[in-house]
Amino acid sequence: MTPTITAFESSPDRGKGQARDMRVRWALEETGQPCNVRLVSFREMKEPAHRALHPFGQIPTYEEGDLVLFESGAIVLHIATHHDGLLSKDANARARAIAWLFAALNTVEPPIVERESAGYVEGDKPWHEARRPILDDRVRHRLRELSSRLGDADWLDGAFSAGDLMMVMVLRRLNSSRLLNEFPNLLAYVARGEARPAFKRAFDAQLAVFVAASAGR
Ligand code: GTB
């Protein structure tokens, strides 16, 4: 059964692939799975019909037969578990790839999101300028550790996996900052992810939504 995912009708990132449906789209492309995409407005996301799918009124969601999922990490893991291409057949390698997926979401992403959201939430507060370097350093700290572990390898643990997919997506959130430039091997790692044909197909699909919405305005 072809799953249906939800995505922004009008993404604030103007098609840069930063919204979290991009993770799901990429996982589906890597595993050769088709999907239907239902676009939702900010208003629709907060209505009961969408909240029945997603308790926090967000995107992405994933519907497949009787199954309804939310949380991009859970959705990517579901796709990776049920289709070849993102998790090794070897049980230990599979477990390690899942650990990297969690590391991307639980260890690397939080300081990146904290730094990004501080600009919106407290940018006008008197303490923000003093706090900014602290937030930068917290991100740098994680990047330094990740950079050290990756070294000159192509991927985090052998072949490309769901863990790399999620880590690349999380690091891409730094695209508009200069922090990633301090770690050339991480920059190259993100570029390798973005060069994958499946990434490009997923990126183009989400960009097409933005282009169509702009043309209709
Ligand atoms: N933990 C959840 C997951 O991983 O699925 C988080 C889901 C989430 O944050 N969804 C966001 C959302 O629905 C969209 S992706 N927000 C609407 C709301 O909460 O009302 C976050 C996002 C949005 C926009 C950009 N951007 O413009 O660059 C980047 C990331």
Side-chain angles (χ1 to χ4, degrees), residues 27-204:
L28 287 164
E29 289 289 351
E30 287 286 350
T31 54
Q33 300 305 306
C35 74
N36 300 311
V37 181
R38 190 169 63 249
L39 303 176
V40 289
S41 65
F42 278 91
R43 183 182 49 75
E44 284 165 336
M45 271 188 271
K46 306 303 173 197
E47 286 174 358
H50 187 75
R51 281 199 191 269
L53 309 177
H54 196 308
F56 308 115
Q58 296 184 314
I59 58 99
T61 58
Y62 177 98
E63 295 158 77
E64 187 182 25
D66 291 343
L67 176 68
V68 178
L69 284 177
F70 59 98
E71 283 299 329
S72 58
I75 299 170
V76 167
L77 183 55
H78 173 79
I79 294 165
T81 305
H82 287 83
H83 305 285
D84 288 346
L86 284 171
L87 286 175
S88 170
K89 299 259 182 277
D90 175 80
N92 286 354
R94 205 175 170 86
R96 289 194 302 272
I98 294 169
W100 277 117
L101 184 149
F102 276 87
L105 295 173
N106 288 351
T107 305
V108 180
E109 186 168 45
I112 293 176
V113 171
E114 174 75 7
R115 175 185 175 278
E116 191 181 296
S117 52
Y120 309 126
V121 176
E122 58 180 52
D124 58 344
K125 299 288 186 289
W127 66 81
H128 180 65
E129 278 315 304
R131 194 161 170 252
R132 187 99 208 157
I134 298 170
L135 294 171
D136 283 357
D137 277 347
R138 278 166 57 184
V139 173
R140 244 183 223 112
H141 179 71
R142 284 290 177 244
L143 296 183
R144 195 173 298 115
E145 292 170 323
L146 186 66
S147 167
S148 161
R149 169 56 81 100
L150 180 66
D152 58 7
D154 279 355
W155 307 115
L156 288 166
D157 190 290
F160 177 82
S161 76
D164 292 299
L165 182 152
M166 197 56 81
M167 194 64 83
V168 167
M169 287 307 306
V170 164
L171 295 179
R172 284 186 84 250
R173 290 199 72 155
L174 292 167
N175 275 358
S176 57
S177 85
R178 285 189 291 270
L179 285 173
L180 216 46
N181 298 350
E182 297 172 24
F183 303 91
N185 67 335
L186 295 184
L187 260 187
Y189 172 67
V190 171
R192 262 193 301 283
E194 292 176 340
R196 292 178 72 83
F199 177 96
K200 289 184 179 172
R201 288 193 297 273
F203 184 89
D204 289 348

